[in-house]
């Protein structure tokens, strides 16, 4: 009887084991999804989604990978080492058109992560020559500094958002971009390079403008939202294979990030977000600088006082305004490449935007989350420029300052 009982138990155990093995084969553990980021304040949606357990909530296992430069992000997304990344909104456009990578290489824009929150910092050479938003003094200030040294400005990636803010600023100030040097420096290295006099100004995301002011290396001359209020800045950019073959997992990642964006736009949560971002494995910058500018308060430096932004500080959701990836915005950036001489001939604006922007995928996510989708393909105007109409780009290029 005991032998029979033992044999029965053994058979049952084998059956249970067999069922468990079969189930694991039918439903294998979700693979790890790897998302890259650059140490900037606007990587916050990825950080918050991780720290709040939102990726796990939506059933995806996400690993965040801190990267050294936008070129690293580009290469790793394209070769599949990263499934996606916190990325400059315009970087896939730059890469596809051959400005910032091999022409024809596809990185897909799934959603926008934030609006606003970048800036142009000038070195102490400019202190007293030009103040906050004093656009009418920029050309004379550059001319003055050029009597003593060559004037060089830095941005973070050719054709990236920071590059385009810099060139828009120069054009608005009446400065020929060819009359100054423009170099590429990774965001975390900006302050150190300015300290050793490698450049006289830079265009970058926070917290590095705030760090330069806090360390008395430079001062904040103008914020990107002063150049274009509520502009697209960083995006969730993904590998094209991941987008095509793992669409449902990508939607889960996007849902977690949308929820994180909503959480971040509750201003009462921003101190908590800053406490995460200050960590060495994320942004690794002073807590007080990250926190202040996240809350819309910028100590400009150079005895210019504190500038407080209300509503046009860095936003991540803004009642649904932020996250829709818009083809018209992509077309605007492509037009800037023609405007500033990156492209000799006009590209296929609409076709490129349709190829790289996953607006249909975002619409699915938005519908399932009851998130509004923003109207696209309408004319809009940035602060110092003429109206941009995606249906009539030729007229825009004829009228805009070079």
């Amino acid at each position: 009887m005991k032998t029979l009982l033992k044999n029965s138990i053994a058979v049952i155990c084998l059956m249970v084991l067999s069922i468990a093995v079969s189930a694991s084969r039918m439903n294998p553990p979700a693979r790890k999804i790897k998302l890259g980021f650059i140490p900037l304040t606007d990587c916050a949606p990825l950080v918050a989604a991780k720290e709040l357990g939102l990726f796990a909530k939506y059933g995806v296992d996400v690993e965040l990978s801190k990267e050294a430069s936008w070129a690293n992000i580009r290469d790793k997304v394209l070769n599949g080492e990263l499934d996606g990344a916190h990325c400059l909104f315009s970087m896939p456009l730059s890469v596809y058109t051959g400005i910032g990578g091999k022409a024809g290489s596809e990185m897909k824009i799934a959603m926008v992560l934030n609006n606003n929150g970048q800036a142009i910092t000038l070195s102490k050479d400019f202190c007293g020559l030009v103040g906050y938003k004093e656009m009418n003094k920029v050309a004379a200030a550059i001319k003055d500094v050029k009597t003593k040294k060559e004037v060089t400005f830095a941005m973070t990636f050719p054709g990236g958002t920071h590059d385009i803010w810099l060139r828009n600023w120069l054009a608005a100030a009446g400065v020929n971009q060819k009359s100054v040097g423009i170099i590429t420096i990774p965001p975390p290295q900006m302050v150190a390079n300015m300290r050793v006099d490698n450049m006289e100004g830079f265009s970058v995301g926070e917290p590095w403008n705030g760090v330069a002011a806090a360390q008395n290396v430079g001062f904040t001359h103008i914020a990107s939202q002063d150049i274009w209020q509520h502009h697209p800045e960083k995006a969730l950019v993904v590998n094209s294979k991941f987008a095509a073959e793992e669409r449902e997992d990508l939607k889960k990642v996007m849902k977690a990030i949308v929820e994180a964006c909503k959480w971040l736009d509750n201003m009462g949560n921003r101190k908590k977000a800053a406490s995460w971002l200050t960590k060495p494995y994320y942004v690794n910058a002073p807590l007080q600088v990250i926190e202040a500018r996240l809350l819309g308060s910028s100590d400009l430096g150079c005895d210019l006082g504190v500038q407080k932004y209300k509503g046009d500080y860095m936003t991540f959701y803004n009642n649904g305004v932020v996250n829709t990836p818009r083809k018209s915005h992509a077309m605007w950036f492509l037009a800037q490449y023609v405007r500033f001489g990156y492209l000799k001939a006009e590209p296929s604006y609409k076709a490129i935007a349709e190829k790289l922007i996953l607006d249909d995928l975002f619409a699915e996510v938005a519908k399932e989350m009851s998130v509004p989708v923003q109207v696209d393909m309408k004319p809009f105007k940035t602060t110092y420029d003429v109206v941009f109409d995606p249906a009539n780009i030729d007229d825009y290029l004829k009228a805009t300052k070079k």
Side-chain angles (χ1 to χ4, degrees), residues 293-332:
R293 295 206 172 197
L294 257 182
L295 292 169
S297 180
S298 297
D299 188 341
L300 301 172
C302 192
D303 296 322
L304 294 173
V306 175
Q307 170 66 25
K308 292 187 181 295
Y309 289 91
K310 295 181 180 179
D312 58 351
Y313 39 67
M314 188 182 291
T315 56
F316 300 95
Y317 182 69
N318 193 14
N319 298 313
V321 170
V322 174
N323 306 120
T324 303
R326 299 188 219 184
K327 290 179 285 192
S328 58
H329 290 169
M331 293 165 73
W332 182 87

Side-chain angles (χ1 to χ4, degrees), residues 178-390:
K178 293 179 181 177
S179 69
V180 296
I182 298 178
I183 59 175
T184 304
I185 301 285
Q189 298 175 26
M190 287 292 192
V191 178
N193 273 272
M194 181 171 278
R195 186 181 291 111
V196 296
D197 205 28
N198 281 345
M199 80 288 243
E200 285 62 55
F202 59 70
S203 174
V204 75
E206 297 298 354
W208 305 114
N209 301 286
V211 170
Q215 295 183 1
N216 196 31
V217 172
F219 65 96
T220 302
H221 162 63
I222 192 169
S224 57
Q225 57 265 39
D226 298 321
I227 297 170
W228 176 5
Q229 191 177 64
H230 304 316
H231 63 80
E233 180 48 45
K234 301 302 187 301
L236 175 66
V237 169
V238 296
N239 172 278
S240 57
K241 184 178 179 183
F242 177 55
E245 298 180 5
E246 300 182 60
R247 186 181 180 92
E248 290 306 311
D249 276 351
L250 174 53
K251 284 173 65 176
K252 292 173 184 176
V253 168
M254 292 167 68
K255 287 176 181 179
I257 292 173
V258 169
E259 189 167 331
C261 288
K262 289 183 177 181
W263 183 88
L264 285 162
D265 266 12
N266 178 335
M267 297 303 282
N269 292 330
R270 293 207 172 184
K271 288 189 176 184
K272 182 65 176 176
S275 75
W276 294 328
L277 294 169
T278 192
K279 302 296 184 186
Y281 45 84
Y282 289 135
V283 178
N284 194 27
L287 174 62
Q288 62 271 27
V289 174
I290 296 175
E291 185 179 288
R293 295 206 172 197
L294 257 182
L295 292 169
S297 180
S298 297
D299 188 341
L300 301 172
C302 192
D303 296 322
L304 294 173
V306 175
Q307 170 66 25
K308 292 187 181 295
Y309 289 91
K310 295 181 180 179
D312 58 351
Y313 39 67
M314 188 182 291
T315 56
F316 300 95
Y317 182 69
N318 193 14
N319 298 313
V321 170
V322 174
N323 306 120
T324 303
R326 299 188 219 184
K327 290 179 285 192
S328 58
H329 290 169
M331 293 165 73
W332 182 87
F333 278 101
L334 291 167
Q336 305 310 300
Y337 299 162
V338 178
R339 175 186 181 187
F340 295 122
Y342 271 132
L343 297 177
K344 301 291 188 210
E346 291 190 64
S348 301
Y349 297 104
K350 191 173 181 181
I352 294 172
E354 288 176 345
K355 182 184 288 286
L356 299 184
I357 290 191
L358 302 177
D359 53 340
D360 57 338
L361 181 68
F362 180 80
E364 287 181 28
V365 170
K367 184 177 180 181
E368 291 169 20
M369 296 188 77
S370 299
V371 168
V373 175
Q374 301 305 304
V375 174
D376 198 0
M377 301 304 287
K378 298 290 185 183
F380 58 88
K381 185 182 181 302
T382 62
T383 306
Y384 299 106
D385 203 1
V386 297
V387 171
F388 177 82
D389 183 351

Side-chain angles (χ1 to χ4, degrees), residues 25-43:
R25 285 173 179 166
M26 290 172 63
N27 301 292
R31 76 166 183 89
K32 193 176 290 293
I33 294 168
K34 196 170 182 181
L35 301 179
F37 70 93
I38 294 293
L40 290 161
T41 301
D42 52 27
C43 72

